[in-house]
Amino acid sequence: MTGLLTACGGLQEMWEGPAARGFYPKTMAILPISGTYDSAREDVEEVVAKVLIKSRRVEKVVPPDQVTDTFQTTKDAFDALVTYFSRMETTGQSDKNSAIKIGHALGADSLLVVKVNAWEYTREEGDNIARVGLSMRLVDAVNGAIVWKARHQVQESYLFIRPDMRDLATKLATDMIKYMPPEKR
């Protein structure tokens, strides 16, 4: 089943693979966040982990800081992560062998790959705008397949007081995760 949601209340882009219906992972590891907005990385990692835990979609969430600790102490896991991100960036595809190694090293049966697409205060048509954008890919760490992916952004206009980017990121992550498999049990 594939789909693109563009209506109010939906996401800008969303794709769900055929395996999403029967996908019920117990543990989800959030991989270190990538993107050109490096200053947003720690905030977004923390926000996504908190929102995912609160959603109760899985029994256990392995947060990015714990993932990083594992990769710093296990060379095979680190090499698999480098290969995984390299292939994801160049082909847009999930590398099966690397995903399986990463999942095994983290004790996770699913991986969440998050990318920051926007994290900025800007001006558009005379308005001050705060904008946060994310992409997410949910990967089955048992077989390396991408089960679900989505891209969305939120923005808020303001006059004098800038909105807190973490608040915008929390709203965005909450909106995105509610569409993520598995369905709440």
Side-chain angles (χ1 to χ4, degrees):
M1 172 165 115
T2 61
L4 179 68
L5 297 177
T6 56
C8 266
L11 303 179
Q12 288 174 330
E13 290 180 16
M14 185 177 84
W15 174 87
E16 193 172 88
R21 284 191 183 243
F23 187 64
Y24 293 102
K26 291 188 183 324
T27 303
M28 187 176 297
I30 304 168
L31 297 186
I33 291 181
S34 65
T36 55
Y37 298 91
D38 195 47
S39 64
R41 185 180 52 78
E42 286 182 25
D43 287 336
V44 173
E45 286 177 346
E46 186 177 316
V47 163
V48 170
K50 283 182 180 177
V51 169
L52 191 56
I53 290 166
K54 187 177 177 185
S55 77
R56 303 180 64 129
R57 291 231 184 270
V58 292
E59 292 174 16
K60 181 180 177 192
V61 174
V62 182
D65 58 336
Q66 193 175 331
V67 170
T68 300
D69 290 347
T70 300
F71 291 133
Q72 289 176 344
T73 58
T74 311
K75 183 179 177 353
D76 284 348
F78 178 78
D79 291 346
L81 182 68
V82 169
T83 299
Y84 190 80
F85 277 131
S86 174
R87 295 236 173 100
M88 183 71 78
E89 280 297 313
T90 57
T91 68
Q93 301 296 315
S94 175
D95 181 68
K96 177 182 177 178
N97 293 335
S98 298
I100 292 169
K101 282 181 185 175
I102 293 167
H104 182 71
L106 297 171
D109 51 0
S110 64
L111 308 173
L112 184 61
V113 181
V114 181
K115 183 174 183 180
V116 179
N117 299 322
W119 187 271
E120 62 191 355
Y121 295 105
T122 187
R123 286 189 57 81
E124 285 182 6
E125 300 174 11
D127 291 333
N128 295 321
I129 304 281
R131 179 180 298 126
V132 176
L134 300 175
S135 296
M136 294 184 183
R137 294 176 194 230
L138 179 59
V139 178
D140 184 338
V142 174
N143 64 24
I146 296 174
V147 175
W148 173 87
K149 59 184 174 179
R151 183 178 63 84
H152 197 55
Q153 78 175 18
V154 293
Q155 65 183 37
E156 189 175 309
S157 59
Y158 63 95
L159 287 174
F160 303 110
I161 301 172
R162 290 179 165 184
D164 185 320
M165 297 298 262
R166 288 177 58 96
D167 291 344
L168 287 176
T170 300
K171 178 187 181 331
L172 177 58
T174 302
D175 289 347
M176 293 179 79
I177 287 171
K178 74 181 174 188
Y179 288 100
M180 177 191 294
E183 300 275 329
K184 274 180 113 174
R185 297 183 201 195

